[in-house]
Amino acid sequence: MAVLTTTEIMELIPNRYPILYMDKVMEMVPGESITAIKNVTINEQFFQGHFPGNPVMPGVLIIESLAQAASILILSSPQFKGKTAYMTGIDNAKFREMVRPGDVLELHVTFGALRENMGTVNVQATVEGKVATKAELMFVVAPDEK
C-alpha cells in the first residue's frame, strides 16, 4: 500500500498547476486499486465562473480528477512504468451530488478489463461517504514522448 505526496504524484503524471487535481494518494495496490484525495477550495480558478454565488465543481473536472487518479494507478503498474496514459472514453457517467468548496473529494479507482496497452477502470468520487460521481473510463497507454 503506497502513499504518495503531490511531489511524488508529479513524478508519475505530466499534469501541473492549474490542471493538477490531486493532493495525495492515500493507498494504492499497483495493478489493482487506488484511493486519492482532492481538497476542493474556494481558491480554485473554476469557481470564479461556475457559478457566481453558488460555487459548484464542474462535473468534467471531477472526471478529470478521477482520470488523474487512474493514470497514477495505471502508470504504477509494472508493465506501464515510464509510459503515458491517455483517456479514450467515458461510459455510464453519473453525477449524483454537487461538490462544493470545503469538500474533500475521495477518488476511488479499480482496474476493469485490461488488454495489452489498453483497458478500462471503474471510478467513483465520494464526499463524506456519499457518491458524487461514478463512471467507467477507457484508456490507452503509449510510450512517453518527452
Side-chain angles (χ1 to χ4, degrees):
M1 295 219 197
V3 175
L4 301 176
T5 65
T6 307
T7 305
E8 292 166 321
I9 289 167
M10 290 190 294
E11 291 172 4
L12 286 171
I13 63 175
N15 304 72
R16 298 294 181 267
Y17 177 84
I19 193 152
L20 177 61
Y21 297 118
M22 191 73 34
D23 289 306
K24 187 175 189 177
V25 171
M26 301 304 291
E27 62 182 64
M28 179 172 57
V29 179
E32 290 182 28
S33 64
I34 188 171
T35 299
I37 59 168
K38 161 70 179 135
N39 294 306
V40 182
T41 72
I42 193 64
N43 295 324
E44 311 276 359
Q45 290 180 328
F46 53 80
F47 284 133
Q48 293 177 30
H50 201 266
F51 300 98
N54 183 26
V56 176
M57 185 173 184
V60 68
L61 295 182
I62 298 171
I63 293 290
E64 174 62 25
S65 301
L66 288 160
Q68 289 179 21
S71 290
I72 294 165
L73 176 63
I74 294 162
L75 299 177
S76 294
S77 300
Q79 70 267 38
F80 300 131
K81 279 205 184 294
K83 299 186 178 179
T84 302
Y86 298 96
M87 184 168 50
T88 59
I90 304 168
D91 277 345
N92 303 315
K94 305 282 187 222
F95 301 92
R96 301 208 166 128
E97 296 284 332
M98 286 188 246
V99 177
R100 300 182 179 280
D103 286 344
V104 175
L105 197 58
E106 267 197 34
L107 309 163
H108 307 276
V109 180
T110 56
F111 267 114
L114 183 61
R115 279 194 352 228
E116 295 181 28
N117 70 327
M118 62 182 64
T120 63
V121 287
N122 299 305
V123 299
Q124 181 172 280
T126 63
V127 175
E128 295 182 5
K130 293 183 182 177
V131 176
T133 303
K134 63 192 289 186
E136 179 183 58
L137 306 179
M138 282 68 70
F139 67 89
V140 65
V141 178
D144 194 354
E145 296 182 15
K146 286 184 188 170

